[in-house]
Amino acid sequence: MRLRSLFGVLVALVFLFLSKSAAAQSTRTWVSGVGDDGNPCSRTAPCKTFAGAVPKTAAGGVVSVLDPGGYGSVTITKSITIDARGTNSSIVNSAVNGIVVNAAATDTVIIRGLAIQSLAGSASPGLSGVKFLAGKSLQVEDCQIIGQSVSAIDFQPASGTSSLFVKNLVASANGAGIVVGGAGNANVTITKSQVFDSVVGLHALGNARVTIHDSVFGNNAEKGIFSEGSAEVNMDHGLVSGSAVGVQGDAVVRLSEVMISHNTTGIAGAKVSSFGNNRVNSGNGTNGAPSTTLPQQ
Amino acid sequence: MRNRSLKTGLLAAMISLGSVSVAHAQAARTWVSGAGSDANPCSRTAPCQTFQAAYAQTSVAGIISVRDPGEFGDIVITHSIVLDGTGPFGDMAPATTAGIVVAAGPTDNVILRSLSLVGSGTGSGIRYESGRSLVIDDCHLSNFTNAIDVQLTAAGSLFVLDTTAVGNVGAGLRAEASNGGLLGTIARSQFESNGFGIFATGSTRLSVYESTASLNGTGITASTEMAGALADVNLEGVIVASNDVGIAASSTAGNAVIRMSKVVGMANATNTTTTAGNAQIFSFGNNRFDDVATISPATIALTTDTPSKTVAVGDSATYPVVATVSGILTSPIAFACSGLPAGFTCQFDPETLPGETSAGTVNVTVVPTTPSKTGLLLGPGSTSGHSHPAWPLSFAFAIPAIALFGARRKLRAPLACLAFVSLAATTACGSSSDDTDKNDDTTALPDGATDGSTPGKDGAAPDGGDAASDPHTYPFKVTATSGVTNASLDLSVTVE
């Protein structure tokens, strides 16, 4: 009897050991506002933070958010999706970046449905909401990024080619809104997004290639859209309003179906082109004008 | 199990009874819940019940999150904060005259997200009295006097996104500001079944993007009643449908301006109205109305500080002309002169002004093209009607010399001799010859006749005619044209 029970205990211990040390990675893990990072991050035993759940998620897997909560800042070094849609979930970052993506050249990172907020004006505000250093592509969908001291999104790959896709972003009261550039090649698509009350709404530098569709850049103190270096920005269907300079094209900017309104200067810089279908005379202090008109085909 | 829950319950009861006045440390993120209690620290596991209680527990620029559905009461906001009802939605049925009052400081930013405010037919849903900026994102407001009620007395900044204001007897958005004004962007929002969809007055500049205003008394209004006020509303991609009046601009003092781009106006009893005075509704030419819409035409005003210039013969005259545009032009502004005497043309620098110009300067230069041997005008300048048949012949011979003469003043003397010689030779062949007065102003004087006019002046009278020794003034017009919009300005050039 004793031997059998002892054996049973041994077996149990072995299994226990195995399950803990394997830190078995799941393709889907869960976090909850009342979770615990000691848990396996399962649906019934969720974890408490993204930093706790990401290591327990297989590359290419999903961290799902079970209920409202604050899930902390996290550095991501592999393909992963973090999906908080449907819940009231956020990262409140202080003195650090909200999410850092530093992954391999084959990795894709997807962030959905999160609010990333820094305590603006505090002693140690957050740096950037999402900071991308390396990886194949980053998708930011349905997120709100607020109060960051550096920028809402900082996408400046140092080498190689990386892609950024932003959809339905609401960025408000950040230092800069979306900054794209870097020594590498940043290919950026921004759609249905709003950048309000930054110093610069969209700042494109380096070799960035940015296409913006159906987006609003409002009340960004210095510039709404700023293209410099060797960047190219195409903006179709949108609104740039309430800045000292609405569109500053020191590097290429092409405008189509954009209303440029209520800026101190509407258009400045030598490289702003128009497809002849914009609304520049919209109550700016000085309208300015595109340097070139491009033909529609 | 039972014992445990009893103990927990008793403990909770003791805590809630005994800690009503305990001051909890402020947190960057606090929570409210339909099942919360304002005695709690407003944490994720011990949420509060009202926004106002959670606000007291939240750090400046922090976030109050709604954990689950509930009704969270009125709140007065005096510093930066975020209220976020994402997911469950924070419901509020305001009991006082305003659901949310934003009375924050000049560096404070307030964000209200995913909140549902239902009024009882009076008061304001969200009142913005002061604060650097207010963002209203994904909110639903109904049954107030004014759902979003901006009453600023200093500068402010408003962003309304994905928000619906329905069934308010006053306005879905009423924006009034003074002393610095409101700069606002309204995007992807709906204003339905209100007295006014959007009402802008005082010093308010709004850009409205991809939004709708329908089933209102008036869909979009810009209205000013104070000197110096500017209600300036830009519409880009806005549907204005089934209102009594679609779009209205009115002004008894100050300026009310509405600019329309890609507006779809359907089924309004009246599409657009403007009152007399400084109230305009301009168009970018790309709107679709199912019926006539009254649109204020664009105008160009041409002015100059120097409407008249005096030049010596052969000189050009340049007039800086300022073109000021009111309204919207959709093509570049082109210029032309009319009424210029023959022998003069106009040049324009720049050749055109962009259509986007609100005020620009064009330098109009009047250039003599056919100078006489002395650089004078020929042709219709001869008012006395005396013309000599030999003129054309001698003129033809004289032209090269004359051109040189006119162009190079230093060579005037030697060339003049040449010219005169050739002219004398030429005219000698004609039916009349020039007189010996070498400083004659025409080439056609018969010999022996004296001219009496001073050399280099008087292009008007041939000898024997009236001694028009005075300088001659030629009035002309500069015109500016862009599409169907045009303007003209009277100028004059006086040739000595």
Side-chain angles (χ1 to χ4, degrees):
Chain A
M1 268 302 243
R2 266 192 202 169
L3 268 171
R4 230 183 262 171
S5 58
L6 264 175
F7 184 68
V9 170
L10 268 171
V11 168
L13 278 170
V14 165
F15 271 106
L16 193 64
F17 175 71
L18 277 174
S19 69
K20 283 232 165 180
S21 67
Q25 289 194 331
S26 309
T27 45
R28 182 189 301 279
T29 58
W30 295 85
V31 291
S32 158
V34 291
D36 184 331
D37 279 347
N39 287 345
C41 310
S42 67
R43 174 67 176 78
T44 46
C47 291
K48 195 160 169 50
T49 68
F50 290 138
V54 166
K56 298 183 183 172
T57 314
V62 183
V63 177
S64 294
V65 178
L66 186 54
D67 49 42
Y71 296 107
S73 49
V74 62
T75 296
I76 296 174
T77 57
K78 63 190 180 195
S79 291
I80 201 156
T81 298
I82 298 180
D83 194 335
R85 285 176 303 163
T87 69
N88 190 349
S89 298
S90 54
I91 298 172
V92 175
N93 55 320
S94 175
V96 295
N97 298 297
I99 298 178
V100 174
V101 176
N102 194 2
T106 50
D107 288 339
T108 295
V109 175
I110 301 172
I111 313 291
R112 286 203 188 99
L114 264 182
I116 306 176
Q117 178 175 345
S118 128
L119 279 183
S122 70
S124 43
L127 302 176
S128 288
V130 180
K131 183 166 177 140
F132 178 95
L133 297 167
K136 176 163 169 282
S137 82
L138 170 64
Q139 288 171 222
V140 179
E141 298 175 28
D142 303 326
C143 290
Q144 301 92 43
I145 304 181
I146 301 158
Q148 307 290 329
S149 60
V150 175
S151 61
I153 298 179
D154 183 339
F155 188 87
Q156 303 190 66
S159 62
T161 298
S162 304
S163 302
L164 172 67
F165 178 66
V166 179
K167 178 184 148 211
N168 194 21
L169 170 75
V170 181
S172 173
N174 301 289
I178 303 174
V179 180
V180 295
N185 297 301
N187 291 328
V188 181
T189 299
I190 299 168
T191 182
K192 289 190 166 9
S193 293
Q194 283 73 219
V195 179
F196 185 72
D197 194 20
S198 320
V199 174
V200 176
L202 170 85
H203 190 178
L205 328 105
N207 302 315
R209 297 286 176 271
V210 185
T211 300
I212 308 170
H213 177 68
D214 190 14
S215 295
V216 176
F217 293 83
N219 293 28
N220 296 296
E222 286 183 9
K223 304 181 209 292
I225 306 282
F226 181 24
S227 177
E228 62 171 340
S230 308
E232 291 187 18
V233 176
N234 293 337
M235 182 165 177
D236 171 65
H237 193 51
L239 173 68
V240 181
S241 65
S243 299
V245 177
V247 176
Q248 177 92 32
D250 294 349
V252 170
V253 177
R254 303 184 188 90
L255 301 173
S256 161
E257 302 280 4
V258 176
M259 172 173 272
I260 300 179
S261 82
H262 297 147
N263 303 287
T264 307
T265 300
I267 294 179
K271 299 196 179 173
V272 179
S273 306
S274 153
F275 282 95
N277 57 357
N278 299 287
R279 273 63 82 178
V280 182
N281 193 352
S282 305
N284 301 294
T286 303
N287 287 327
S291 318
T292 325
T293 302
L294 302 169
Q296 297 189 31
Q297 304 178 59
Chain B
M1 285 293 260
R2 268 191 205 169
N3 281 338
R4 208 180 286 165
S5 63
L6 184 61
K7 278 183 194 169
T8 317
L10 279 170
L11 200 59
M14 279 164 53
I15 289 171
S16 63
L17 278 172
S19 64
V20 169
S21 56
V22 168
H24 303 288
Q26 286 196 331
R29 186 197 295 104
T30 58
W31 297 85
V32 291
S33 158
S37 162
D38 282 349
N40 286 343
C42 313
S43 66
R44 172 67 175 78
T45 46
C48 290
Q49 193 174 47
T50 66
F51 281 136
Q52 194 70 69
Y55 179 74
Q57 313 286 7
T58 314
S59 315
V60 173
I63 175 169
I64 303 172
S65 297
V66 173
R67 196 188 75 175
D68 47 53
E71 209 173 83
F72 303 111
D74 301 354
I75 181 173
V76 175
I77 294 173
T78 57
H79 59 63
S80 295
I81 199 84
V82 175
L83 265 62
D84 193 338
T86 299
F89 261 86
D91 283 298
M92 309 170 64
T96 61
T97 54
I100 301 178
V101 175
V102 178
T107 59
D108 291 332
N109 303 310
V110 177
I111 297 173
L112 307 172
R113 173 172 300 120
S114 298
L115 304 172
S116 168
L117 288 85
V118 178
S120 50
T122 61
S124 312
I126 299 171
R127 186 186 302 154
Y128 178 23
E129 295 176 353
S130 63
R132 180 170 172 280
S133 74
L134 172 60
V135 174
I136 301 173
D137 175 12
D138 189 32
C139 291
H140 300 266
L141 303 101
S142 60
N143 204 19
F144 296 95
T145 300
N146 298 309
I148 302 172
D149 191 359
V150 178
Q151 297 180 14
L152 289 170
T153 53
S157 166
L158 175 69
F159 189 40
V160 177
L161 172 67
D162 282 324
T163 289
T164 306
V166 176
N168 302 284
V169 298
L173 165 65
R174 187 182 188 284
E176 176 166 11
S178 58
N179 298 329
L182 172 73
L183 191 55
T185 299
I186 318 295
R188 313 189 205 279
S189 295
Q190 288 79 44
F191 302 88
E192 321 291 323
S193 303
N194 306 291
F196 297 86
I198 296 176
F199 186 94
T201 186
S203 288
T204 302
R205 289 180 292 164
L206 296 179
S207 299
V208 184
Y209 177 78
E210 292 294 313
S211 297
T212 68
S214 66
L215 298 162
N216 303 291
T218 305
I220 314 266
T221 302
S223 171
T224 54
E225 309 173 326
M226 271 181 356
L230 171 64
D232 184 324
V233 179
N234 290 326
L235 306 177
E236 174 73 36
V238 176
I239 302 208
V240 180
S242 302
N243 303 288
D244 293 342
V245 175
I247 298 172
S250 72
S251 167
T252 54
N255 283 313
V257 178
I258 299 179
R259 300 182 192 84
M260 306 188 295
S261 166
K262 297 178 95 173
V263 167
V264 175
M266 299 287 173
N268 301 296
T270 306
N271 276 320
T272 62
T273 66
T274 57
T275 59
N278 292 324
Q280 283 107 10
I281 299 177
F282 295 125
S283 161
F284 281 95
N286 57 357
N287 304 285
R288 298 89 160 158
F289 286 93
D290 59 358
D291 199 351
V292 170
T294 307
I295 292 171
S296 309
T299 60
I300 302 171
L302 297 175
T303 56
T304 184
D305 288 339
T306 54
S308 50
K309 289 215 158 208
T310 301
V311 293
V313 166
D315 283 357
S316 306
T318 297
Y319 306 74
V321 173
V322 177
T324 306
V325 178
S326 162
I328 297 160
L329 301 173
T330 52
S331 50
I333 307 174
F335 300 96
C337 286
S338 69
L340 271 179
F344 274 130
T345 58
C346 271
Q347 293 170 353
F348 303 97
D349 176 30
E351 289 193 8
T352 61
L353 286 175
E356 295 89 349
T357 306
S358 48
T361 301
V362 57
N363 287 312
V364 181
T365 303
V366 172
V367 182
T369 57
T370 56
S372 69
K373 68 173 169 79
T374 59
L376 291 170
L377 294 172
L378 298 175
S382 44
T383 53
S384 69
H386 281 256
S387 60
H388 201 285
W391 268 31
L393 255 178
S394 52
F395 184 52
F397 276 99
I399 276 198
I402 290 164
L404 271 174
F405 187 91
R408 300 183 186 198
R409 297 184 192 286
K410 287 183 182 172
L411 300 173
R412 187 180 287 227
L415 280 174
C417 292
L418 252 176
F420 277 112
V421 163
S422 66
L423 275 167
T426 321
T427 52
C429 304
S431 54
S432 63
S433 57
D434 201 353
D435 62 5
T436 56
D437 184 351
K438 290 182 170 50
N439 290 324
D440 203 341
D441 61 349
T442 77
T443 60
L445 291 172
D447 280 355
T450 55
D451 167 326
S453 64
T454 317
K457 293 188 187 284
D458 183 5
D463 282 65
D466 297 328
S469 57
D470 299 325
H472 194 90
T473 298
Y474 300 95
F476 64 98
K477 287 183 193 294
V478 171
T479 59
T481 306
S482 167
V484 300
T485 309
N486 49 57
S488 71
L489 179 67
D490 291 332
L491 300 172
S492 70
V493 59
T494 299
V495 182
E496 290 184 311

